[in-house]
Amino acid sequence: FSFGIIQEYGPGCPWQATTVDSWIHLEAPAASGVDNGTVVFSVDPAVSARTGSITVSGAGAVQVIQQ
């Protein structure tokens, strides 16, 4: 899975994606970058429905819902 990052702060601005949810895995090298980019992630198989998030510095959070 993936989602795009569009930097609105001007060229050369770094960003980093993080998560505290152990079932969401950020795939290197797409967990950080400079300027626009793409965050690539995978998830473990779900036993039951769950919700987590990926936070991108300076850009907010993306909710991940797995059913």
Side-chain angles (χ1 to χ4, degrees):
F1 306 100
S2 66
F3 60 90
I5 302 295
I6 299 174
Q7 274 290 3
E8 296 181 1
Y9 300 109
C13 290
W15 56 268
Q16 181 164 359
T18 58
T19 184
V20 297
D21 299 292
S22 61
W23 56 274
I24 300 173
H25 307 283
L26 299 170
E27 306 294 333
S32 64
V34 177
D35 298 324
N36 298 341
T38 302
V39 175
V40 179
F41 67 98
S42 62
V43 296
D44 292 337
V47 176
S48 60
R50 55 189 171 185
T51 302
S53 65
I54 298 171
T55 301
V56 180
S57 59
V62 173
Q63 189 174 44
V64 178
I65 300 171
Q66 188 178 27
Q67 298 181 351

